[in-house]
Amino acid sequence: MRFWRAVGRTTRAALAAAALAVLAGCASSGGQVKRIAVISAFYGELEVLLAQVETPRMRVINGKTFTTGTLAGKPVVLFLSGVSMVNAAVSAQLALDHFPVSHIVFSGIAGGVNPGLHIGDVAVPAHWANYQKQTFAYGDGDGGWTIRPSETDRFGHFGMMFPQPIRVTRKGGPPDRLESKFWFDADPEMLAAARRVAARLQLARCDAGGRCLSGQPKIHTGGRGVSGPTFVNNKRYRTWVWDNFRDAEGRGVNALDMESSAVATAAHINAVPFIAFRSISDLAGGGGRHNEIEIFRRLAAANAARVTVGFLREFRPGG
């Protein structure tokens, strides 16, 4: 009390404001532990993981259910992104705004692009792109295409469609400073843990109904992944994606989907480490007229979930 009387009115006001700021910060985090966000696009992908959550508690925000608890010894928050880039980005940001998220993991299925990958395999790309953020070029009538000076052709093109980078801000960066990005990286520490898991984890070859793949599925870490708003079931487009987006070492795209890079973008903007485990459910049109997703998506989803749980057991942040 003597100290409080001794300080001036201005100082007392400043101290009170500082105390309120500390209390507000505590209230915003709710005193909760940091959680790893585990996301899937649809329930068939997430149900395998939800069944393994210990002490689950559900919270509904904007009509979306978030389940907190412990999975493979790690505090987690699990939820559905919904299918599509828009749903995925909005859902990821919703979780980041309402939970103390330390890392983001996506678990689900994808279309296979790499001819060396097979249905049931799990791809763990090191880089993700929003490859269908693009401009439709002007055709000159002779097979040529014209784009504006502000646009680029350095990411190739499929006919009139020229992929373009996106411009994003980033937490901790200068206000409203836009960074042009095409590839968004998986977190190196998380990728290293995934590689350790890949060296010893065996994936399922048969589904619950007894349907079996011809070979033993494998985990492929590294390479690239791409996401866009379209479901791809076109052999020519699949081949173009494989041939077009190679890195300096010649490694191409392993998988394509409709959510991962949107979540990777949200993770980048919020400076939160990210990784995605995508099991191949179909060949994006490369397997013939009839897409394989309806036959193998449960097996693929189970393999993605198996790798996700193995990763959570292995991962030691900062370790």
Side-chain angles (χ1 to χ4, degrees), residues 1-9 11-12:
M1 183 63 72
R2 288 178 181 174
F3 166 78
W4 192 249
R5 288 175 178 170
V7 299
R9 181 178 298 175
T11 305
R12 288 201 299 269

Side-chain angles (χ1 to χ4, degrees), residues 10-289:
T10 302
T11 305
R12 288 201 299 269
L15 290 170
L20 287 172
V22 171
L23 289 172
C26 293
S28 65
S29 65
Q32 300 174 26
V33 297
K34 291 278 190 177
R35 297 184 180 276
I36 297 176
V38 180
I39 313 172
S40 293
F42 59 91
Y43 188 72
E45 296 171 323
L46 196 65
E47 62 180 337
V48 183
L49 297 167
L50 286 171
Q52 302 177 61
V53 175
E54 299 177 10
T55 61
R57 296 185 65 183
M58 291 178 288
R59 178 182 173 190
V60 177
I61 305 172
N62 292 0
K64 185 177 294 292
T65 299
F66 294 84
T67 301
T68 58
T70 302
L71 179 61
K74 299 295 191 302
V76 293
V77 53
L78 298 93
F79 59 97
L80 295 174
S81 67
V83 176
S84 87
M85 299 285 280
V86 173
N87 280 332
V90 170
S91 297
Q93 191 60 56
L94 192 63
L96 289 163
D97 288 344
H98 288 85
F99 296 89
V101 173
S102 62
H103 300 75
I104 297 176
V105 175
F106 205 106
S107 176
I109 63 176
V113 179
N114 186 338
L117 270 65
H118 306 284
I119 289 175
D121 288 357
V122 175
V124 193
H127 314 283
W128 285 92
N130 298 285
Y131 77 133
Q132 289 180 343
K133 192 274 183 181
Q134 54 200 2
T135 187
F136 283 12
Y138 178 82
D140 61 13
D142 295 320
W145 304 101
T146 301
I147 57 176
R148 296 177 301 167
S150 60
E151 296 167 333
T152 181
D153 61 358
R154 66 190 177 99
F155 302 110
H157 69 100
F158 184 77
M160 68 178 181
M161 299 182 290
F162 285 71
Q164 301 295 309
I166 64 174
R167 303 180 72 197
V168 296
T169 58
R170 184 165 169 82
K171 181 180 179 180
D176 302 315
R177 175 75 62 81
L178 294 174
E179 173 189 15
S180 179
K181 284 188 69 66
F182 190 77
W183 296 105
F184 292 82
D185 299 336
D187 177 67
E189 187 180 39
M190 299 174 83
L191 196 61
R195 287 195 174 99
R196 295 193 296 272
V197 172
R200 63 173 184 270
L201 185 67
Q202 185 168 1
L203 301 177
R205 180 169 166 261
C206 302
D207 66 14
R211 289 178 297 193
C212 297
L213 300 168
S214 58
Q216 177 60 43
K218 300 176 181 179
I219 304 170
H220 303 262
T221 56
R224 292 175 163 181
V226 294
S227 307
T230 61
F231 180 84
V232 175
N233 190 35
N234 183 278
K235 186 174 183 178
R236 285 184 57 229
Y237 191 68
R238 173 187 187 258
T239 301
W240 174 77
V241 172
W242 170 245
D243 291 337
N244 187 66
F245 294 109
R246 295 182 183 273
D247 62 17
E249 286 73 40
R251 292 170 295 195
V253 170
N254 286 333
L256 57 80
D257 63 46
M258 299 172 68
E259 299 87 20
S260 294
S261 67
V263 176
T265 303
H268 174 81
I269 291 170
N270 289 274
V272 175
F274 162 87
I275 197 168
F277 303 106
R278 287 290 194 168
S279 184
I280 306 303
S281 61
D282 63 277
L283 301 180
R289 178 197 283 183

